[in-house]
Amino acid sequence: MSTPGPQETIEMALAAARGDATVVIVESGVDRYLRWADSALVAAGDADEYRVSVVSVVGGRVGAVSVSGRVGRAEIVDAVDGAEAVARQAPPAPDARPLPEPGAASPHWDDPVRPLASGVLAGLVEQLSTGFARADRHGQVLHGYAEHRARTTFLGTSTGARLRHDGSAGHLEFTARDGRGAPVWTSAVTDDFTDVSVAGLQDDLDRRLRWERRRVDLPPGRYECLVPPSAVADLMNYAYTTAGAGAAAQGRTAYSRAGGRTRIGETIAGVPLTLRSDPRAEGLRCAPFLVAAASSGARSVFDNGLPLGPTRWWEQGRLRSLVHTRHSAEELGMPLTPLVENLILEGPPGGGAEADLIARTRRGLLLTSLWYIREVDLATMALTGVTRDGVYLVEDGEVVGAVHNFRFNDSPLAMVRRATEVGRTVPTRARDWGDAVAHVAMPMLRVPDFPLTATTGAV
């Protein structure tokens, strides 16, 4: 007997529900990947991803059960019964309220899930073959990884919501070695790999390998740093995902002010930065409705299906909005600004490319990425981590050599307060926290007095 499709699964679950309210989320998709090492492909494959999540509300209490893999009617009913049993044992939910009234169903709700094209990485394989030959001619060895994810999310509720979002995203990471210095790294993001140029990525790697041939020792200290888009993405992902209004009003975060107030309206950046989200942003599209299999400080299961639109979190360097659930917005008397699953940071028009910011640097350090980032203090947004994949000394507008990696201790909000220049905003992916907010576009930032507190042996 065939297993039900996503839409039928949702209808089966809702028909079996006996609680006060029920949400069913089905995520269906395929991951495809390539891996290469020593200038040769070493792995390729794909994996089906399928997950059913049931959220039940019984007497203002919430229970949730998730099941991975395609399931039949019996397993669907068991998941519903399990979620309702958990709800009956749970404490009352402080954010309990009726589910949102449904709007129009997604027009393509009934369409079958489109299979991911089997050749989505085929063009990349051809480019890599040429790239391996080029690397061999130059005495280089290439390593790397490419991944493409296709996801369709279905959301159905007992109030009648029937919503669907189809999305895809890919990324590629490239490392090169030539035996004359430390390895170097670069990356790219894409929707379908048709816009990825392996030759262009190798040009970047070649340039970095040349920088590595002269080593410079520098002591720990405070340096002007050029922080690239992928590293800015790591920092902004944290600044965004900890921007819950409820926690800020309770005095627990860097967005708090005394007396149960928040920092809304304060200038928080030294340059006119705008941080925004838009589910329909070109190249960064995400679900235009809220999906939550569990509640957190930034989202509530009671808001499932809530429509999402463009939101400005910072505007011209001033904090304009925090992330609200319906509960926190009503409690604080603020406009409802739910979490959106993409993020865009922009400076004034005319921001330059990496080469432009390097050319305007008298003396500073060019970073490549950040890694092993850990929270130190939520109340100040203090983080610690290490630089990775190359740190380069810039003098009089040119890169003059490679420096060892450092440990850093700083806060994203402190960094943007000190920022003095903003580059061009480009699509990117956070090196460390890329899954926190997957669809992002960020600029390079010039940040004086970046505290590099110790040298590390990381590469």
Side-chain angles (χ1 to χ4, degrees):
M1 180 178 178
S2 62
T3 56
Q7 301 94 326
E8 189 180 357
T9 294
I10 287 175
E11 302 305 336
M12 282 182 178
L14 292 174
R18 297 294 179 265
D20 301 326
T22 306
V23 177
V24 186
I25 303 162
V26 177
E27 294 175 284
S28 176
V30 177
D31 294 348
R32 286 209 163 94
Y33 68 91
L34 291 174
R35 190 179 300 277
W36 54 98
D38 296 328
S39 297
L41 289 174
V42 295
D46 55 66
D48 287 330
E49 298 292 332
Y50 198 88
R51 186 176 183 85
V52 179
S53 299
V54 178
V55 180
S56 296
V57 181
V58 179
R61 304 163 189 265
V62 177
V65 169
S66 292
V67 182
S68 295
R70 296 186 179 273
V71 292
R73 179 181 179 82
E75 292 90 350
I76 293 167
V77 172
D78 285 347
V80 174
D81 292 343
E84 292 176 356
V86 172
R88 285 189 287 270
Q89 299 298 318
D95 56 342
R97 60 215 338 92
L99 295 174
E101 287 299 315
S106 296
H108 56 311
W109 168 263
D110 290 320
D111 293 351
V113 176
R114 291 174 299 175
L116 180 63
S118 59
V120 68
L121 297 175
L124 180 62
V125 172
E126 293 178 7
Q127 289 193 66
L128 285 171
S129 178
T130 302
F132 295 156
R134 168 179 164 175
D136 187 60
R137 289 194 302 270
H138 291 87
Q140 300 168 3
V141 177
L142 302 179
H143 309 264
Y145 177 78
E147 180 181 79
H148 186 267
R149 292 184 177 185
R151 288 289 185 277
T152 300
T153 301
F154 296 85
L155 173 71
T157 70
S158 53
T159 55
R162 298 294 186 273
L163 300 170
R164 169 179 176 165
H165 174 70
D166 297 270
S168 65
H171 69 277
L172 176 152
E173 300 183 2
F174 229 139
T175 300
R177 301 172 181 264
D178 67 0
R180 289 182 280 182
V184 297
W185 177 89
T186 193
S187 65
V189 295
T190 179
D191 279 339
D192 56 13
F193 285 89
T194 59
D195 56 348
V196 170
S197 168
V198 169
L201 294 170
Q202 284 188 274
D203 289 344
D204 185 31
L205 293 171
D206 287 348
R207 181 169 56 252
R208 291 172 180 270
L209 286 170
R210 289 194 297 271
W211 293 345
E212 284 287 340
R213 289 172 191 168
R214 179 175 180 243
R215 302 295 297 180
V216 180
D217 287 329
L218 290 179
R222 287 181 171 269
Y223 293 91
E224 178 176 284
C225 288
L226 300 178
V227 186
S230 68
V232 173
D234 271 312
L235 302 170
M236 291 302 102
N237 278 4
Y238 182 77
Y240 179 45
T241 55
T242 58
Q250 294 164 9
R252 296 192 284 117
T253 75
Y255 298 105
S256 303
R257 277 199 297 178
R261 296 181 297 166
T262 70
R263 295 177 61 187
I264 293 289
E266 286 188 20
T267 297
I268 59 173
V271 287
L273 287 167
T274 294
L275 185 69
R276 63 184 181 91
S277 297
D278 182 352
R280 293 175 175 82
E282 191 62 35
L284 302 170
R285 294 181 187 274
C286 62
F289 52 89
L290 191 136
V291 182
S295 292
S296 67
R299 71 182 89 201
S300 167
V301 295
F302 294 97
D303 293 345
N304 267 299
L306 200 66
L308 304 176
T311 304
R312 289 181 178 263
W313 309 105
W314 308 351
E315 188 160 28
Q316 298 294 301
R318 190 179 298 270
L319 182 62
R320 176 171 172 174
S321 307
L322 293 172
V323 177
H324 276 285
T325 62
R326 286 187 297 158
H327 171 68
S328 67
E330 292 167 11
E331 189 173 59
L332 299 174
M334 298 294 289
L336 177 58
T337 47
L339 188 81
V340 181
E341 293 287 351
N342 67 8
L343 198 60
I344 303 161
L345 183 67
E346 297 167 318
E354 177 184 284
D356 300 314
L357 273 74
I358 290 173
R360 290 192 285 269
T361 301
R362 189 184 67 81
R363 190 172 193 270
L365 297 178
L366 171 64
L367 308 185
T368 300
S369 62
L370 304 178
W371 191 249
Y372 206 70
I373 305 168
R374 296 294 180 266
E375 179 183 279
V376 176
D377 183 7
L378 179 62
T380 62
M381 208 180 286
L383 301 175
T384 188
V386 296
T387 65
R388 187 179 180 185
D389 307 311
V391 176
Y392 305 102
L393 177 62
V394 181
E395 291 182 335
D396 298 323
E398 294 186 358
V399 175
V400 298
V403 183
H404 40 71
N405 281 295
F406 293 92
R407 173 162 293 281
F408 74 91
N409 292 279
D410 210 346
S411 155
L413 291 188
M415 289 184 195
V416 297
R417 265 198 312 272
R418 301 194 309 274
T420 58
E421 187 176 1
V422 185
R424 181 185 308 146
T425 294
V426 296
T428 189
R429 178 181 170 84
R431 178 81 158 104
D432 195 6
W433 288 346
D435 289 334
V437 186
H439 304 283
V440 298
M442 297 284 147
M444 174 172 277
L445 294 180
R446 186 186 301 278
V447 181
D449 298 322
F450 195 112
L452 303 174
T453 56
T455 60
T456 76
V459 295

